[in-house]
Amino acid sequence: MAEKQLISTIKYVAATKPAFFLSEIIPYLDEPLPVHQLFSIISPKLSDMGLMAKKGKGDFEIIRIPPAQPYLMNQEELERQQIFFTKREMPGSLAQSIEKYITKKVGKDWNDPVIIERLRRAIVSQKDDYWKPSHKRSLHYIKGYSVLGYLAYHFPVYLIQTGHLLLMLARDGLLKKSMTILDVGTGPGVVPLAIADFYSRLDDAQATIYSLERSEEHIEAFTYLRDAFVGRSGKVRIKPPTKTDIRLMDGDKLPEKIDLVIFSNVLNELPDATMEVRADIVAQISERLAPDGSILIVEPADEENATRMRSLTVALQKKGLSIYSPCSFIWGSTCTAPRCWSFETAPAIKLSRLMETLAHCEDSYRYVNTDIKYSYAVLRKDGMRKENFRLPAGSKFLRLSKLHLHVGKRINVTGLKMSGELGDARSHVFKLCDGTAKTPVYAVLPSYHITPENDAITSAPYGSILELRNVLVRYNKAHDAYNLLVSRNTKVDPVIS
Ligand SMILES: C[S@@+](CC[C@H](N)C(=O)[O-])C[C@H]1O[C@@H](n2cnc3c(N)ncnc32)[C@H](O)[C@@H]1O
């Protein structure tokens, strides 16, 4: 029996009505079978299709699994989160656990000058490696000091960055009361620890976190920090990481019905992996995603990593995933992410005591890492999008794909603000996107042109949809990009969808 035909028929009928009887699909099949036989073939596959069956008299009613209720934060929970983000620092007990771990690993006090100097060297060599062309990098975290350097330099920023991303997911209603989460390339457990910390400010949410990691040194640090900061029971249960190389992993060993998969700063560490290989890794893991689950991919904000991440999301759309955020296709078009350097920012964090000690020297800037800038995408299997706003047909706005026909002219456009500040205090620059452009587009606002009417371009949050009226189109040959000059005669308004 063509099982494929049966499954695709069920998918088709389920997409057209909320409930139907299994007997209804028999006429569509080339090889009709009795209902109970059809049921035994499809029952293991139903939940992957987001469906369930109710037994009736001689038939089965097929209905959609009701979506899990989103976990919506109450006012007090929101205030607790806000207090945390206003402090802009790691929880004190976690910072101390990192210091104690360093002391335990090196057999001397963490602040012994010899140890501090070794940490400095580890940080510098890790950074040098990071900035090499990607095929020449060797970020393997085999030596103890590379992980200690990571704890000192990267951990605090990535921990708080993950907190911001969790806040965004919570506000979007993508967290559930009880969740299964998988963190891929967990390192010393930055993401699981950030989740435990974030959940400590929620009243009633629970999570079980699984993770994958190949480096023994990272796993050792992860286990120590988990035991010191979270413990093994409580509302967030962090399972021991599975040691594996994600390029060779056995997908059957992953948990089922994962509500949230996170790839934080890991895909860029697969230097020899082509876009197709990266997309295959994400797609393979997404097979274990719950029908209403989300995938969060986060990468550093530098141009190379951010643009690659955006191209990866295009490749993933071809594999059946859809982009929930931050992109929004306001003309209903499909996007190819041309050289798309898009990233989000958050306020810089305060120095940890460890970082302050490291920075107590000449060239202190080399050991200070406080800026939060990241490129992210949330993907789904169910086609849900954060923003469903579409420009109505006949809108009096120019598509960004048509800018080449209007160079030197003043026009009106609608687009999303898709970057933090790319310019400086004299000239503000932000990436703009409406999902149609084949060439990057930037809004440029010289500071002497700022007025209350156009200031929304600087103050609007990342991902906001904006109307820009009366902008001058310029072609920037050096960067093969279009600049839209926002002047004192330009009006910029947020679109309320
Ligand atoms: C930059 S760290 C990111 C750690 C953590 N996710 C974060 O955001 O801070 C990248 C991690 O991915 C791991 N990793 C890189 N390639 C991997 C692979 N092929 N299989 C499993 N883990 C890998 C590294 O060992 C490292 O712990």
Side-chain angles (χ1 to χ4, degrees), residues 70-277:
Y71 187 88
L72 299 174
M73 288 187 288
N74 60 38
Q75 195 52 35
E76 282 169 15
E77 290 172 309
L78 258 172
E79 278 165 17
R80 273 180 241 141
Q81 299 294 3
Q82 263 150 13
I83 292 169
F84 170 77
F85 288 107
T86 311
K87 279 200 204 150
R88 299 183 289 120
E89 61 191 6
M90 266 202 294
S93 63
L94 186 52
Q96 280 163 22
S97 302
I98 290 175
E99 293 169 0
K100 281 189 192 150
Y101 180 66
I102 295 174
T103 299
K104 173 180 166 290
K105 276 293 275 185
V106 301
K108 280 188 177 181
D109 281 346
W110 65 270
N111 55 0
D112 183 291
V114 174
I115 304 305
I116 289 292
E117 195 45 45
R118 285 187 192 153
L119 286 172
R120 286 189 189 121
R121 268 187 262 137
I123 290 167
V124 169
S125 96
Q126 215 165 79
K127 286 203 287 186
D128 288 350
D129 201 24
Y130 180 85
W131 291 113
K132 281 181 191 161
S134 51
H135 63 281
K136 289 196 177 157
R137 290 207 224 147
S138 63
L139 290 160
H140 281 309
Y141 308 103
I142 294 166
K143 292 189 189 137
Y145 266 95
S146 61
V147 170
L148 301 184
Y150 195 87
L151 291 173
Y153 187 79
H154 292 289
F155 190 105
V157 157
Y158 287 154
L159 185 99
I160 297 188
Q161 172 175 303
T162 307
H164 283 287
L165 286 156
L166 291 167
L167 184 64
M168 172 191 78
L169 295 177
R171 286 191 162 139
D172 285 357
L174 297 188
L175 297 188
K176 302 173 188 170
K177 189 167 175 190
S178 176
M179 296 185 78
T180 299
I181 301 176
L182 175 69
D183 181 34
V184 183
T186 193
V190 176
V191 168
L193 295 167
I195 294 172
D197 181 48
F198 187 86
Y199 274 53
S200 71
R201 296 182 288 278
L202 300 181
D203 293 335
D204 204 17
Q206 301 179 6
T208 303
I209 309 175
Y210 298 82
S211 58
L212 309 175
E213 173 54 53
R214 71 172 172 191
S215 148
E216 288 281 5
E217 283 290 339
H218 267 311
I219 291 177
E220 188 185 335
F222 177 119
T223 310
Y224 180 94
L225 295 175
R226 175 196 66 169
D227 292 349
F229 182 60
V230 188
R232 293 182 192 199
S233 57
K235 52 188 180 180
V236 172
R237 287 172 301 283
I238 304 181
K239 303 274 186 189
T242 301
K243 184 172 185 314
T244 184
D245 185 320
I246 57 172
R247 291 166 300 186
L248 313 167
M249 143 194 84
D250 177 358
D252 290 344
K253 297 212 169 120
L254 296 175
E256 290 186 26
K257 305 238 169 24
I258 307 171
D259 299 296
L260 175 62
V261 180
I262 302 181
F263 295 82
S264 170
N265 301 307
V266 57
L267 293 168
N268 75 81
E269 290 206 0
L270 306 174
D272 45 356
T274 59
M275 193 61 73
E276 194 54 29
V277 169

Side-chain angles (χ1 to χ4, degrees), residues 321-377:
L321 292 169
S322 58
I323 301 174
Y324 168 85
S325 70
C327 308
S328 177
F329 305 98
I330 59 179
W331 287 104
S333 54
T334 49
C335 168
T336 52
R339 293 182 283 134
C340 180
W341 185 12
S342 172
F343 60 88
E344 168 70 301
T345 54
I349 64 164
K350 288 191 191 138
L351 290 187
S352 64
R353 178 166 70 167
L354 172 55
M355 212 182 278
E356 226 167 50
T357 313
L358 287 165
H360 208 73
C361 62
E362 269 181 39
D363 296 342
S364 58
Y365 67 91
R366 295 176 128 200
Y367 312 106
V368 170
N369 183 24
T370 54
D371 286 353
I372 303 189
K373 284 188 183 180
Y374 53 96
S375 188
Y376 78 88

Side-chain angles (χ1 to χ4, degrees), residues 299-303 305-310 326-327 339-345 373-377 416-420 422 431-433 442 462-463:
E299 289 284 29
D302 63 275
E303 188 170 1
N305 285 309
T307 48
R308 274 195 191 198
M309 199 280 287
R310 214 50 71 191
C327 308
R339 293 182 283 134
C340 180
W341 185 12
S342 172
F343 60 88
E344 168 70 301
T345 54
K373 284 188 183 180
Y374 53 96
S375 188
Y376 78 88
L416 277 76
K417 176 177 168 180
M418 288 303 286
S419 74
L422 294 167
K431 180 175 172 55
L432 269 191
C433 178
Y442 300 94
Y462 177 77

Side-chain angles (χ1 to χ4, degrees), residues 48 58 138 207 248 254 265 316 355 357 360 366 374 404 410 427 451 459 483 488 491:
D48 276 352
S138 63
L248 313 167
L254 296 175
N265 301 307
L316 287 169
M355 212 182 278
T357 313
H360 208 73
R366 295 176 128 200
Y374 53 96
H404 60 286
R410 293 191 171 272
S427 190
T451 68
S459 60
N483 289 347
R488 58 178 64 87
K491 201 162 175 313

